[in-house]
Amino acid sequence: MVTLQTVAFAVLCLVAVLRVGSARSNPHARMSWLASVVGALALLTLGSVIPLGVLDGALGGTNLIYLVQNLLATTAFWLVLQAAASQESEDTPHSRRRYWVLGVILVAFSVAFLFIDRGPTSPTFIHDNVDQLAAVLCASIYLAGIGGISLQLMLAVRRRRLVAYWPFVVGGALAIVACINEIVWLFIAHAHAVDARTQALGYALFDPFFYLGVILIVAGILSFTVRKWNRETQMTLAIRQLSRITQRAGLTSATAEDGPATGGPQLSVAYDLLISIHDETVAGRVQLTARERRVLSRAEALVTRELGMAEAR
Amino acid sequence: MTESMWKGGHDIADRCARIFEDNGLGGPRNMEELVTRVSNISGKPVMIEPLGDERWETITALWVSYPASDLVLVRATDTHLYRTHCILHELAHIIYRHPGCSDLASAEVVQSLISDGATVRGRVVNPQAVRVASERSETIEGEAENLARLLGRSLLRPRYAAGEKSFG
Ligand SMILES: [Zn+2]
């Protein structure tokens, strides 16, 4: 399924480009941004964009590209997990154990890979060599790693609002199904338990599950980017409109001095403007026009939506 | 330019920032959690009731301090956001342990609420009243308003703040 791989690659590239700005300005966003870059590179190694012969040829034409692909894909999944998990333990120091887990997975399938007697470049390298236990183990360790990380990702977001985090849950589940399916069929092939047609059908299940899972997880990430942009755009507009009211009415907006603001400066500015306008209206110093009242209630709805609604840490 | 209703300045801002910090007021994520925190600070339960209406005129909220509890009254006719801010203003008085205000105790809407030993303070948005108020009273109101704005900012976190931080 070249198309799904290409779509996933395109989506990851798009996300990486769109989020360059926030990765630069917000250190917390870097993990997930890096995940999209590494993930895009991993998909690039599949050969759907640049021919596999070219890529693997550059590495000596002995399917070393397969190892590179596994290293990149595992790291990308792990980075997404770190981004999601860092929300959970915002105040606790970064756990070293996490790096160990990644390291163990990477080393384990790399060692197995070295034991494979590899032929010339092949897009179905593992399937070609399924008679070798090393090949089956290399792929299985890699897939078990991805599946395990996906499971941890699902667990990391389990207490969050499903309405926003469902793509991570469903995407993670699809990836797990894909990985388990592939491991099972690798062992079936190794044992020559079924005919070639059934075997091919079993293998064919991997791509739709896995790449739809990847696309969903990336869409989940992107949904937060879009959500933030959307709110910030609306807030900028609301602040401009509210300021027009206070200017028209000749108000000095009483804003608290720069204090511990957690909701971003925009929400604070809008909040202060709204309260001042209300105060002046109650005091009878300002009469709002019908249009201004509409602007006020629209802006107020935007701010009220974020009041006391933050997700649990 | 219209004169600001609330006294400001660096002294007040600094005091508010310190009180905010010292009492861990950035912790609560919603009004419920904040009220619990405030009542831990004051050692008395805090009750909030939307009781008043437009007949209160320029009184947007009242704080009645009974010996064993604190009662915050706001106007049911105001919007959710404005009401929230007015509650925060009264909670700020409680956190500050501000004294009651004798001027307001004589107001008609207030009298029925006061029993023995209760003191009262109101959030009055009346420029005239501010001008005749004493310097001390102006400072008290400025402090409460400033702290209320810090509290408001603290409650104003994007709904998916954590998600936006990692994935935004
Ligand atoms: Zn007050």
Side-chain angles (χ1 to χ4, degrees), chain A residues 19 22 26 32 83 87 90 161 163 165 225 231 250 252 254 256-257 260 263 271-272 275 278-279 283 285 300 305-306 308 311, chain B residues 1-3 5-6 13 20 29 79-82 85 123 125 149 153-160 162-168:
Chain A
R19 298 185 64 235
S22 62
N26 170 15
S32 60
Q87 306 175 13
E90 206 169 357
R161 292 196 183 107
V163 70
Y165 285 90
T225 316
R231 195 193 53 252
T252 45
E257 303 285 321
Y271 179 84
D272 286 348
I275 300 305
H278 273 296
D279 278 352
R285 292 206 292 197
E300 190 157 343
R305 215 166 59 187
E306 313 293 344
E311 56 190 343
Chain B
M1 277 287 170
T2 326
E3 199 183 333
M5 278 181 198
W6 308 101
F20 187 91
R29 274 175 291 114
T79 63
H80 178 72
L81 187 80
Y82 191 48
H85 179 74
R123 187 177 184 278
V125 288
R149 282 177 198 246
R153 287 177 184 197
S154 171
L155 295 184
L156 274 177
R157 293 177 214 197
R159 188 175 287 242
Y160 296 105
E164 284 183 12
K165 208 158 130 192
S166 301
F167 302 122

Short mmCIF file of all heavy atoms in Angstrom, two decimals, chain A residues 19 22 26 32 83 87 90 161 163 165 225 231 250 252 254 256-257 260 263 271-272 275 278-279 283 285 300 305-306 308 311, chain B residues 1-3 5-6 13 20 29 79-82 85 123 125 149 153-160 162-168:
data_model
loop_
_atom_site.label_atom_id
_atom_site.label_comp_id
_atom_site.label_asym_id
_atom_site.label_seq_id
_atom_site.Cartn_x
_atom_site.Cartn_y
_atom_site.Cartn_z
N ARG A 19 4.75 23.30 12.29
CA ARG A 19 5.06 23.49 13.70
C ARG A 19 6.48 24.00 13.96
O ARG A 19 6.90 24.04 15.12
CB ARG A 19 4.78 22.20 14.46
CG ARG A 19 3.32 21.77 14.38
CD ARG A 19 3.00 20.57 15.23
NE ARG A 19 3.18 20.84 16.64
CZ ARG A 19 3.96 20.11 17.44
NH1 ARG A 19 4.60 19.10 16.96
NH2 ARG A 19 4.07 20.42 18.71
N SER A 22 6.36 26.96 16.49
CA SER A 22 6.11 26.70 17.90
C SER A 22 7.23 25.87 18.52
O SER A 22 7.53 26.00 19.70
CB SER A 22 4.75 26.05 18.12
OG SER A 22 4.68 24.81 17.47
N ASN A 26 8.70 27.32 21.78
CA ASN A 26 8.23 26.59 22.96
C ASN A 26 9.00 25.27 23.13
O ASN A 26 8.78 24.33 22.38
CB ASN A 26 6.71 26.34 22.80
CG ASN A 26 6.18 25.39 23.84
OD1 ASN A 26 6.81 25.10 24.85
ND2 ASN A 26 4.98 24.87 23.59
N SER A 32 7.58 16.62 20.35
CA SER A 32 6.61 16.12 19.37
C SER A 32 6.96 16.63 17.97
O SER A 32 6.66 15.97 16.98
CB SER A 32 5.19 16.52 19.76
OG SER A 32 5.07 17.92 19.82
N ALA A 83 6.43 13.24 24.65
CA ALA A 83 5.67 14.49 24.61
C ALA A 83 4.36 14.34 25.38
O ALA A 83 3.97 15.22 26.13
CB ALA A 83 5.39 14.88 23.16
N GLN A 87 3.39 15.74 29.94
CA GLN A 87 2.26 16.48 30.50
C GLN A 87 1.88 15.92 31.87
O GLN A 87 1.45 16.63 32.74
CB GLN A 87 1.02 16.33 29.63
CG GLN A 87 1.23 16.70 28.20
CD GLN A 87 -0.02 16.42 27.40
OE1 GLN A 87 -1.09 16.18 27.95
NE2 GLN A 87 0.09 16.45 26.10
N GLU A 90 4.77 16.97 34.98
CA GLU A 90 5.35 18.25 34.64
C GLU A 90 6.42 18.67 35.66
O GLU A 90 7.41 19.28 35.31
CB GLU A 90 4.25 19.31 34.59
CG GLU A 90 4.60 20.45 33.69
CD GLU A 90 3.40 21.34 33.46
OE1 GLU A 90 2.31 21.03 33.95
OE2 GLU A 90 3.58 22.35 32.81
N ARG A 161 -9.23 14.20 28.46
CA ARG A 161 -10.55 14.25 27.84
C ARG A 161 -10.52 13.53 26.49
O ARG A 161 -9.80 13.91 25.58
CB ARG A 161 -10.98 15.71 27.63
CG ARG A 161 -11.25 16.44 28.93
CD ARG A 161 -12.03 17.72 28.62
NE ARG A 161 -12.24 18.47 29.85
CZ ARG A 161 -11.60 19.59 30.16
NH1 ARG A 161 -10.71 20.09 29.33
NH2 ARG A 161 -11.86 20.21 31.29
N VAL A 163 -12.51 13.54 24.15
CA VAL A 163 -12.97 14.34 23.02
C VAL A 163 -11.79 14.94 22.25
O VAL A 163 -11.87 15.15 21.05
CB VAL A 163 -13.96 15.44 23.50
CG1 VAL A 163 -13.26 16.51 24.31
CG2 VAL A 163 -14.69 16.04 22.33
N TYR A 165 -8.39 13.63 22.86
CA TYR A 165 -7.27 12.69 22.80
C TYR A 165 -7.60 11.37 22.10
O TYR A 165 -6.76 10.47 22.05
CB TYR A 165 -6.75 12.41 24.21
CG TYR A 165 -5.94 13.56 24.76
CD1 TYR A 165 -6.55 14.58 25.50
CD2 TYR A 165 -4.57 13.65 24.54
CE1 TYR A 165 -5.82 15.64 26.00
CE2 TYR A 165 -3.83 14.71 25.03
CZ TYR A 165 -4.46 15.70 25.76
OH TYR A 165 -3.74 16.75 26.25
N THR A 225 -2.30 21.89 17.68
CA THR A 225 -1.71 23.04 17.01
C THR A 225 -2.81 23.94 16.43
O THR A 225 -2.81 25.15 16.63
CB THR A 225 -0.79 22.56 15.85
OG1 THR A 225 0.00 21.47 16.32
CG2 THR A 225 0.09 23.67 15.37
N ARG A 231 -7.68 29.64 18.58
CA ARG A 231 -8.02 30.47 19.74
C ARG A 231 -7.26 31.79 19.71
O ARG A 231 -7.81 32.85 19.96
CB ARG A 231 -7.72 29.73 21.05
CG ARG A 231 -8.39 30.38 22.24
CD ARG A 231 -7.90 29.90 23.58
NE ARG A 231 -6.48 29.98 23.71
CZ ARG A 231 -5.65 28.94 23.71
NH1 ARG A 231 -6.15 27.74 23.61
NH2 ARG A 231 -4.36 29.10 23.81
N GLY A 250 -13.15 56.25 26.11
CA GLY A 250 -12.12 56.98 26.85
C GLY A 250 -11.74 56.35 28.17
O GLY A 250 -11.49 57.05 29.16
N THR A 252 -9.39 54.17 30.79
CA THR A 252 -8.08 53.61 31.04
C THR A 252 -8.33 52.21 31.57
O THR A 252 -8.97 52.03 32.58
CB THR A 252 -7.32 54.41 32.11
OG1 THR A 252 -8.22 54.67 33.18
CG2 THR A 252 -6.79 55.70 31.57
N ALA A 254 -7.88 49.19 33.57
CA ALA A 254 -7.14 48.85 34.78
C ALA A 254 -6.63 47.42 34.66
O ALA A 254 -7.38 46.48 34.80
CB ALA A 254 -8.05 48.97 35.99
N ALA A 256 -3.89 44.52 35.96
CA ALA A 256 -2.96 44.18 37.03
C ALA A 256 -1.56 44.28 36.45
O ALA A 256 -1.34 44.05 35.28
CB ALA A 256 -3.24 42.78 37.53
N GLU A 257 -0.61 44.65 37.29
CA GLU A 257 0.78 44.68 36.83
C GLU A 257 1.15 43.27 36.40
O GLU A 257 0.51 42.30 36.79
CB GLU A 257 1.68 45.12 37.99
CG GLU A 257 1.32 46.47 38.58
CD GLU A 257 1.74 47.63 37.70
OE1 GLU A 257 2.83 47.55 37.12
OE2 GLU A 257 0.98 48.59 37.59
N PRO A 260 1.74 36.64 37.84
CA PRO A 260 1.80 35.25 37.42
C PRO A 260 0.64 34.88 36.51
O PRO A 260 -0.42 34.47 36.96
CB PRO A 260 1.74 34.47 38.73
CG PRO A 260 1.22 35.40 39.74
CD PRO A 260 1.35 36.78 39.23
N GLY A 263 -2.42 31.74 31.71
CA GLY A 263 -3.29 31.49 30.57
C GLY A 263 -2.83 32.19 29.31
O GLY A 263 -3.59 32.29 28.36
N TYR A 271 -9.48 39.58 29.38
CA TYR A 271 -10.18 39.53 30.67
C TYR A 271 -10.24 40.92 31.30
O TYR A 271 -11.31 41.40 31.69
CB TYR A 271 -9.44 38.55 31.59
CG TYR A 271 -10.01 38.40 32.97
CD1 TYR A 271 -11.05 37.53 33.22
CD2 TYR A 271 -9.46 39.11 34.05
CE1 TYR A 271 -11.56 37.36 34.50
CE2 TYR A 271 -9.96 38.95 35.33
CZ TYR A 271 -11.00 38.08 35.56
OH TYR A 271 -11.50 37.92 36.82
N ASP A 272 -9.09 41.57 31.37
CA ASP A 272 -9.05 42.90 31.99
C ASP A 272 -9.94 43.89 31.24
O ASP A 272 -10.64 44.70 31.86
CB ASP A 272 -7.61 43.42 32.02
CG ASP A 272 -6.78 42.70 33.09
OD1 ASP A 272 -7.38 41.99 33.92
OD2 ASP A 272 -5.54 42.84 33.08
N ILE A 275 -13.68 43.14 32.09
CA ILE A 275 -14.07 43.56 33.44
C ILE A 275 -14.19 45.08 33.50
O ILE A 275 -15.14 45.62 34.06
CB ILE A 275 -13.06 43.05 34.49
CG1 ILE A 275 -12.97 41.51 34.46
CG2 ILE A 275 -13.43 43.54 35.89
CD1 ILE A 275 -14.29 40.78 34.64
N HIS A 278 -17.39 46.19 31.85
CA HIS A 278 -18.53 45.89 32.72
C HIS A 278 -18.61 46.90 33.87
O HIS A 278 -19.68 47.44 34.18
CB HIS A 278 -18.42 44.48 33.29
CG HIS A 278 -19.02 43.43 32.41
ND1 HIS A 278 -20.36 43.39 32.13
CD2 HIS A 278 -18.47 42.39 31.75
CE1 HIS A 278 -20.60 42.35 31.32
NE2 HIS A 278 -19.47 41.74 31.08
N ASP A 279 -17.47 47.15 34.51
CA ASP A 279 -17.45 48.09 35.64
C ASP A 279 -17.98 49.47 35.22
O ASP A 279 -18.81 50.06 35.90
CB ASP A 279 -16.01 48.26 36.15
CG ASP A 279 -15.60 47.13 37.11
OD1 ASP A 279 -16.48 46.32 37.47
OD2 ASP A 279 -14.41 47.08 37.48
N ALA A 283 -21.29 51.36 36.48
CA ALA A 283 -21.13 52.67 37.11
C ALA A 283 -21.86 53.76 36.35
O ALA A 283 -21.99 54.89 36.84
CB ALA A 283 -19.65 53.01 37.20
N ARG A 285 -20.90 55.15 33.58
CA ARG A 285 -20.02 56.09 32.89
C ARG A 285 -19.96 55.79 31.39
O ARG A 285 -19.49 56.61 30.62
CB ARG A 285 -18.60 56.00 33.47
CG ARG A 285 -18.52 56.53 34.89
CD ARG A 285 -17.16 57.04 35.25
NE ARG A 285 -16.13 56.02 35.34
CZ ARG A 285 -14.96 56.23 35.95
NH1 ARG A 285 -14.70 57.43 36.49
NH2 ARG A 285 -14.06 55.29 36.02
N GLU A 300 -16.71 37.85 25.36
CA GLU A 300 -16.87 37.28 26.69
C GLU A 300 -17.07 35.76 26.61
O GLU A 300 -16.53 35.02 27.45
CB GLU A 300 -18.06 37.93 27.39
CG GLU A 300 -18.14 37.56 28.85
CD GLU A 300 -18.92 38.58 29.67
OE1 GLU A 300 -19.11 39.71 29.19
OE2 GLU A 300 -19.30 38.24 30.79
N ARG A 305 -15.14 30.52 28.01
CA ARG A 305 -14.92 29.13 27.63
C ARG A 305 -13.66 28.55 28.28
O ARG A 305 -13.56 27.34 28.50
CB ARG A 305 -14.78 29.06 26.11
CG ARG A 305 -15.35 27.81 25.50
CD ARG A 305 -15.48 27.95 24.01
NE ARG A 305 -14.20 28.23 23.36
CZ ARG A 305 -14.07 28.53 22.08
NH1 ARG A 305 -15.12 28.61 21.31
NH2 ARG A 305 -12.89 28.76 21.57
N GLU A 306 -12.69 29.40 28.57
CA GLU A 306 -11.41 28.92 29.11
C GLU A 306 -11.33 29.09 30.62
O GLU A 306 -10.31 28.80 31.22
CB GLU A 306 -10.25 29.68 28.46
CG GLU A 306 -10.32 29.81 26.96
CD GLU A 306 -10.17 28.47 26.24
OE1 GLU A 306 -9.73 27.51 26.88
OE2 GLU A 306 -10.54 28.41 25.05
N GLY A 308 -11.53 28.32 34.28
CA GLY A 308 -11.66 27.19 35.20
C GLY A 308 -11.93 25.87 34.50
O GLY A 308 -12.52 24.98 35.08
N GLU A 311 -7.50 21.25 31.87
CA GLU A 311 -7.45 19.81 32.14
C GLU A 311 -6.55 19.55 33.35
O GLU A 311 -5.65 20.32 33.65
CB GLU A 311 -6.95 19.06 30.92
CG GLU A 311 -5.60 19.53 30.42
CD GLU A 311 -5.23 18.95 29.08
OE1 GLU A 311 -5.83 17.96 28.67
OE2 GLU A 311 -4.32 19.48 28.45
N MET B 1 -9.58 61.09 29.22
CA MET B 1 -9.55 59.73 29.79
C MET B 1 -10.27 59.70 31.13
O MET B 1 -10.08 60.58 31.96
CB MET B 1 -8.10 59.28 30.01
CG MET B 1 -7.44 58.72 28.77
SD MET B 1 -8.07 57.09 28.38
CE MET B 1 -7.37 56.83 26.76
N THR B 2 -11.05 58.67 31.29
CA THR B 2 -11.75 58.51 32.56
C THR B 2 -10.79 57.96 33.60
O THR B 2 -9.96 57.12 33.30
CB THR B 2 -12.91 57.51 32.41
OG1 THR B 2 -13.44 57.65 31.10
CG2 THR B 2 -13.98 57.78 33.42
N GLU B 3 -10.96 58.45 34.78
CA GLU B 3 -10.09 58.01 35.86
C GLU B 3 -10.37 56.54 36.19
O GLU B 3 -11.52 56.11 36.19
CB GLU B 3 -10.40 58.87 37.09
CG GLU B 3 -9.33 58.86 38.14
CD GLU B 3 -9.78 59.68 39.35
OE1 GLU B 3 -10.60 60.60 39.17
OE2 GLU B 3 -9.32 59.36 40.44
N MET B 5 -11.10 53.28 38.26
CA MET B 5 -11.88 53.09 39.48
C MET B 5 -11.08 52.50 40.61
O MET B 5 -11.47 52.57 41.76
CB MET B 5 -13.04 52.14 39.20
CG MET B 5 -14.20 52.80 38.57
SD MET B 5 -15.45 51.56 38.35
CE MET B 5 -16.43 52.41 37.15
N TRP B 6 -10.02 51.82 40.24
CA TRP B 6 -9.30 51.04 41.25
C TRP B 6 -7.90 51.58 41.42
O TRP B 6 -7.20 51.83 40.45
CB TRP B 6 -9.26 49.56 40.83
CG TRP B 6 -10.60 49.04 40.49
CD1 TRP B 6 -11.12 48.86 39.25
CD2 TRP B 6 -11.65 48.69 41.41
NE1 TRP B 6 -12.40 48.41 39.33
CE2 TRP B 6 -12.75 48.29 40.64
CE3 TRP B 6 -11.75 48.67 42.80
CZ2 TRP B 6 -13.95 47.87 41.22
CZ3 TRP B 6 -12.93 48.25 43.37
CH2 TRP B 6 -14.02 47.86 42.59
N ALA B 13 0.72 46.23 43.59
CA ALA B 13 1.02 45.10 42.70
C ALA B 13 2.03 44.15 43.34
O ALA B 13 1.87 42.93 43.27
CB ALA B 13 1.55 45.63 41.37
N PHE B 20 -0.07 36.25 46.46
CA PHE B 20 -0.44 35.21 45.49
C PHE B 20 0.55 34.04 45.57
O PHE B 20 0.17 32.88 45.64
CB PHE B 20 -0.44 35.81 44.08
CG PHE B 20 -0.95 34.89 43.01
CD1 PHE B 20 -2.30 34.89 42.67
CD2 PHE B 20 -0.09 34.03 42.35
CE1 PHE B 20 -2.78 34.03 41.68
CE2 PHE B 20 -0.56 33.18 41.36
CZ PHE B 20 -1.91 33.19 41.03
N ARG B 29 -7.34 25.20 39.93
CA ARG B 29 -7.64 25.29 38.50
C ARG B 29 -9.05 25.79 38.23
O ARG B 29 -9.36 26.19 37.13
CB ARG B 29 -7.46 23.93 37.84
CG ARG B 29 -6.05 23.66 37.40
CD ARG B 29 -5.90 22.25 36.87
NE ARG B 29 -6.03 21.29 37.95
CZ ARG B 29 -7.02 20.41 38.03
NH1 ARG B 29 -7.94 20.37 37.12
NH2 ARG B 29 -7.07 19.56 39.03
N THR B 79 -23.23 38.64 34.09
CA THR B 79 -22.72 37.51 33.29
C THR B 79 -21.81 36.64 34.14
O THR B 79 -21.28 37.08 35.16
CB THR B 79 -21.92 38.01 32.08
OG1 THR B 79 -20.77 38.73 32.56
CG2 THR B 79 -22.75 38.91 31.18
N HIS B 80 -21.61 35.42 33.67
CA HIS B 80 -20.79 34.45 34.41
C HIS B 80 -19.39 35.00 34.67
O HIS B 80 -18.86 34.91 35.78
CB HIS B 80 -20.72 33.14 33.63
CG HIS B 80 -19.86 32.10 34.26
ND1 HIS B 80 -20.25 31.42 35.40
CD2 HIS B 80 -18.63 31.62 33.95
CE1 HIS B 80 -19.29 30.58 35.75
NE2 HIS B 80 -18.31 30.68 34.88
N LEU B 81 -18.80 35.58 33.65
CA LEU B 81 -17.41 36.06 33.78
C LEU B 81 -17.31 37.21 34.78
O LEU B 81 -16.44 37.23 35.64
CB LEU B 81 -16.88 36.52 32.41
CG LEU B 81 -15.41 36.88 32.40
CD1 LEU B 81 -14.56 35.62 32.32
CD2 LEU B 81 -15.06 37.80 31.23
N TYR B 82 -18.22 38.16 34.65
CA TYR B 82 -18.19 39.33 35.53
C TYR B 82 -18.47 38.92 36.97
O TYR B 82 -17.81 39.39 37.90
CB TYR B 82 -19.22 40.35 35.05
CG TYR B 82 -19.11 41.71 35.72
CD1 TYR B 82 -17.89 42.34 35.83
CD2 TYR B 82 -20.24 42.35 36.24
CE1 TYR B 82 -17.78 43.59 36.43
CE2 TYR B 82 -20.14 43.60 36.83
CZ TYR B 82 -18.91 44.21 36.93
OH TYR B 82 -18.81 45.43 37.53
N HIS B 85 -15.44 37.38 38.42
CA HIS B 85 -14.45 38.37 38.83
C HIS B 85 -14.84 39.05 40.15
O HIS B 85 -13.98 39.28 41.01
CB HIS B 85 -14.27 39.43 37.74
CG HIS B 85 -13.27 40.47 38.13
ND1 HIS B 85 -11.91 40.22 38.15
CD2 HIS B 85 -13.43 41.74 38.59
CE1 HIS B 85 -11.28 41.31 38.59
NE2 HIS B 85 -12.18 42.24 38.85
N ARG B 123 -18.14 45.36 46.73
CA ARG B 123 -17.41 45.83 45.54
C ARG B 123 -18.31 46.86 44.86
O ARG B 123 -19.28 46.51 44.20
CB ARG B 123 -17.11 44.67 44.60
CG ARG B 123 -16.22 45.05 43.42
CD ARG B 123 -15.90 43.84 42.57
NE ARG B 123 -14.98 44.17 41.48
CZ ARG B 123 -15.34 44.72 40.31
NH1 ARG B 123 -16.61 44.98 40.09
NH2 ARG B 123 -14.45 44.99 39.38
N VAL B 125 -18.81 49.90 42.28
CA VAL B 125 -18.20 50.58 41.12
C VAL B 125 -18.86 51.94 40.94
O VAL B 125 -19.64 52.15 40.04
CB VAL B 125 -18.31 49.74 39.83
CG1 VAL B 125 -17.38 48.56 39.89
CG2 VAL B 125 -19.72 49.25 39.60
N ARG B 149 -7.58 40.16 39.89
CA ARG B 149 -7.15 40.01 38.50
C ARG B 149 -6.07 38.94 38.35
O ARG B 149 -6.05 38.19 37.38
CB ARG B 149 -6.69 41.35 37.93
CG ARG B 149 -7.89 42.19 37.57
CD ARG B 149 -7.57 43.58 37.07
NE ARG B 149 -8.79 44.39 37.17
CZ ARG B 149 -9.44 44.88 36.13
NH1 ARG B 149 -9.02 44.66 34.91
NH2 ARG B 149 -10.53 45.58 36.31
N ARG B 153 -6.55 35.58 36.12
CA ARG B 153 -5.57 35.10 35.14
C ARG B 153 -5.22 33.65 35.40
O ARG B 153 -5.03 32.87 34.48
CB ARG B 153 -4.28 35.91 35.25
CG ARG B 153 -4.40 37.28 34.71
CD ARG B 153 -3.12 38.02 34.91
NE ARG B 153 -3.29 39.38 34.46
CZ ARG B 153 -2.29 40.20 34.20
NH1 ARG B 153 -1.06 39.79 34.38
NH2 ARG B 153 -2.53 41.41 33.77
N SER B 154 -5.10 33.34 36.67
CA SER B 154 -4.68 31.99 37.04
C SER B 154 -5.75 30.96 36.68
O SER B 154 -5.44 29.82 36.33
CB SER B 154 -4.39 31.97 38.53
OG SER B 154 -4.20 30.67 38.96
N LEU B 155 -7.00 31.35 36.75
CA LEU B 155 -8.08 30.43 36.38
C LEU B 155 -8.27 30.37 34.87
O LEU B 155 -8.90 29.46 34.35
CB LEU B 155 -9.40 30.86 37.02
CG LEU B 155 -9.49 30.82 38.55
CD1 LEU B 155 -10.90 31.18 39.00
CD2 LEU B 155 -9.12 29.45 39.09
N LEU B 156 -7.72 31.36 34.18
CA LEU B 156 -7.88 31.42 32.73
C LEU B 156 -6.78 30.64 32.04
O LEU B 156 -5.83 31.21 31.53
CB LEU B 156 -7.83 32.85 32.24
CG LEU B 156 -9.11 33.65 32.26
CD1 LEU B 156 -8.82 35.07 31.81
CD2 LEU B 156 -10.17 33.04 31.37
N ARG B 157 -6.90 29.33 32.06
CA ARG B 157 -5.93 28.54 31.32
C ARG B 157 -6.66 27.93 30.14
O ARG B 157 -7.80 27.51 30.30
CB ARG B 157 -5.39 27.42 32.18
CG ARG B 157 -4.57 27.94 33.32
CD ARG B 157 -4.11 26.82 34.19
NE ARG B 157 -4.07 27.27 35.58
CZ ARG B 157 -3.42 26.65 36.53
NH1 ARG B 157 -2.78 25.55 36.26
NH2 ARG B 157 -3.42 27.11 37.75
N PRO B 158 -6.00 27.87 29.00
CA PRO B 158 -6.67 27.21 27.88
C PRO B 158 -7.12 25.82 28.31
O PRO B 158 -6.43 25.16 29.08
CB PRO B 158 -5.58 27.12 26.82
CG PRO B 158 -4.64 28.22 27.16
CD PRO B 158 -4.68 28.37 28.64
N ARG B 159 -8.25 25.42 27.80
CA ARG B 159 -8.87 24.15 28.17
C ARG B 159 -7.89 22.98 28.03
O ARG B 159 -7.86 22.08 28.85
CB ARG B 159 -10.06 23.95 27.24
CG ARG B 159 -10.94 22.82 27.55
CD ARG B 159 -12.11 22.88 26.61
NE ARG B 159 -13.00 23.96 26.97
CZ ARG B 159 -14.26 23.77 27.35
NH1 ARG B 159 -14.74 22.56 27.38
NH2 ARG B 159 -15.02 24.77 27.67
N TYR B 160 -7.10 23.01 26.97
CA TYR B 160 -6.14 21.93 26.76
C TYR B 160 -4.72 22.47 26.89
O TYR B 160 -3.88 22.27 26.02
CB TYR B 160 -6.37 21.28 25.39
CG TYR B 160 -7.71 20.62 25.31
CD1 TYR B 160 -8.75 21.20 24.59
CD2 TYR B 160 -7.96 19.44 25.98
CE1 TYR B 160 -9.99 20.60 24.54
CE2 TYR B 160 -9.19 18.84 25.94
CZ TYR B 160 -10.21 19.41 25.22
OH TYR B 160 -11.43 18.82 25.17
N ALA B 162 -2.18 21.71 28.72
CA ALA B 162 -1.09 20.73 28.73
C ALA B 162 -0.86 20.17 27.33
O ALA B 162 0.27 20.06 26.87
CB ALA B 162 -1.40 19.61 29.71
N GLY B 163 -1.96 19.83 26.65
CA GLY B 163 -1.85 19.30 25.30
C GLY B 163 -1.25 20.32 24.34
O GLY B 163 -0.40 19.99 23.51
N GLU B 164 -1.67 21.57 24.50
CA GLU B 164 -1.16 22.61 23.61
C GLU B 164 0.32 22.88 23.86
O GLU B 164 1.06 23.24 22.96
CB GLU B 164 -1.96 23.90 23.80
CG GLU B 164 -3.33 23.83 23.14
CD GLU B 164 -4.08 25.12 23.28
OE1 GLU B 164 -3.49 26.14 23.66
OE2 GLU B 164 -5.30 25.11 23.02
N LYS B 165 0.72 22.69 25.11
CA LYS B 165 2.11 22.91 25.44
C LYS B 165 3.00 21.87 24.74
O LYS B 165 4.04 22.20 24.20
CB LYS B 165 2.29 22.79 26.96
CG LYS B 165 3.42 23.61 27.51
CD LYS B 165 3.19 23.87 28.99
CE LYS B 165 4.40 23.52 29.79
NZ LYS B 165 4.15 23.48 31.22
N SER B 166 2.54 20.62 24.73
CA SER B 166 3.34 19.56 24.12
C SER B 166 3.16 19.47 22.62
O SER B 166 4.10 19.14 21.90
CB SER B 166 2.96 18.20 24.72
OG SER B 166 3.17 18.20 26.10
N PHE B 167 1.95 19.73 22.16
CA PHE B 167 1.64 19.48 20.75
C PHE B 167 1.26 20.75 19.98
O PHE B 167 1.00 20.70 18.80
CB PHE B 167 0.49 18.48 20.63
CG PHE B 167 0.77 17.15 21.30
CD1 PHE B 167 -0.07 16.66 22.28
CD2 PHE B 167 1.89 16.41 20.94
CE1 PHE B 167 0.19 15.45 22.90
CE2 PHE B 167 2.15 15.20 21.55
CZ PHE B 167 1.30 14.71 22.53
N GLY B 168 1.17 21.87 20.68
CA GLY B 168 0.70 23.11 20.04
C GLY B 168 1.75 23.75 19.16
O GLY B 168 2.91 23.43 19.21
#
